[in-house]
Amino acid sequence: MRVASLQWTALLSVALAQSGCATAPLERAGSLRNYDRLADANGLVTRAQIKANKQELIEAKTIRIEPTAFPPRPDVTLDESERKLVANVISREMCLRLSERFRIVSPGEDSDLTVRATVTHATATNATASAASQAASVAKSVALPGVPVPVPRLPVGLGTLSVEAEARNFAGFQAAAMVWARGANSVSTARMANDGDAYDLASEFGADFARLVSTGESPFGGLPSLPSASSLPAKLGGAPKYAACEQFGRFPGVKGFVGAGLGLPPGWTDKGAEEASSTAQPPPPMVASMEQKPAR
């Protein structure tokens, strides 16, 4: 009976995800080297166009990740701090996922591949509607404790995110590319913040693009891509596998999961790349040894 209940809950979640879903524009902003031979590769709730040189990607061993760009747009109401946080989530998630397959090198180092992503569009989350959805979820947990029935978000004010990215080889030619768009749905986390949905969707894009680059195959159509066991310590707020990933800050870990469950704004638990710069320690001063000091 318990298995049947879980199966029913999963089916209900999929149905809800397909129903109340915000539509994100699949935009080409011109940040890619070219858009030739991009093929449609849509997922259950994602629209995308992709291409990949599988042989070249498989042969690559090292990769450099440039910070994700999120330039201001008149039709995007997220402020600068919100855009920076969303962009950093993409870079950090890509660094985590790509670390499972490649050696991540620091800025300025030579690498087989270089990755760069650009956010092309985002729709802000309606914080008031998210607050109402959180209230409904709390009411359900009080009235029906222990019953595994998801409480759908109100189908209004759902946010979206559109991103494009590419991986270039050492010579600067395109080895992989993706144009991606996804909107929040009825089972997405309801955060009471303008950048709430864009923040969560940024992680989804980072995982999708990393899977494309790591395998040379479409990340859509199969089971969701989960971090490997070796990546869990970093996902929980620990040090990343490669020091180069420190430039994007560390994952908020447990406090991030708790904040998401409470619907808190992402910036309350995640300081992004600013945390990396604030915790960086200056090198110790050079002190001449007795042998190095000139004789008097």
Side-chain angles (χ1 to χ4, degrees), residues 29-84:
S31 70
L32 305 187
R33 182 182 180 92
N34 64 72
Y35 295 83
D36 301 338
R37 300 189 304 277
L38 284 171
D40 290 338
N42 298 327
L44 181 65
V45 291
T46 305
R47 293 193 301 149
Q49 295 175 338
I50 64 172
K51 73 174 179 181
N53 184 329
K54 185 173 182 177
Q55 186 62 34
E56 186 171 20
L57 294 172
I58 290 177
E59 292 176 354
K61 303 298 182 184
T62 59
I63 195 166
R64 183 174 67 248
I65 302 173
E66 297 183 357
T68 299
F70 191 170
R73 287 178 45 149
D75 56 345
V76 175
T77 58
L78 301 186
D79 62 29
E80 182 180 2
S81 63
E82 292 167 339
R83 295 196 312 273
K84 286 175 62 177

Side-chain angles (χ1 to χ4, degrees), residues 90-109:
I90 293 176
S91 301
R92 187 175 60 198
E93 188 71 28
M94 288 196 300
C95 215
L96 173 77
R97 301 301 185 109
L98 291 171
S99 295
E100 300 172 4
R101 162 71 177 78
F102 301 94
R103 180 169 67 85
I104 313 298
V105 304
S106 301
E109 289 188 59

Side-chain angles (χ1 to χ4, degrees), residues 2 5-6 8-10 12 140 144 146-150:
R2 181 173 178 80
S5 177
L6 292 174
W8 181 84
T9 301
L12 179 58
K140 175 264 168 189
L144 300 171
V147 180
V149 178

Side-chain angles (χ1 to χ4, degrees), residues 237-269:
K241 182 178 180 180
Y242 295 105
C245 292
E246 290 278 17
Q247 64 178 309
F248 306 120
R250 298 189 181 183
F251 286 86
V254 174
K255 64 180 180 180
F257 295 123
V258 173
L262 297 175
L264 301 179
W268 287 22
T269 56

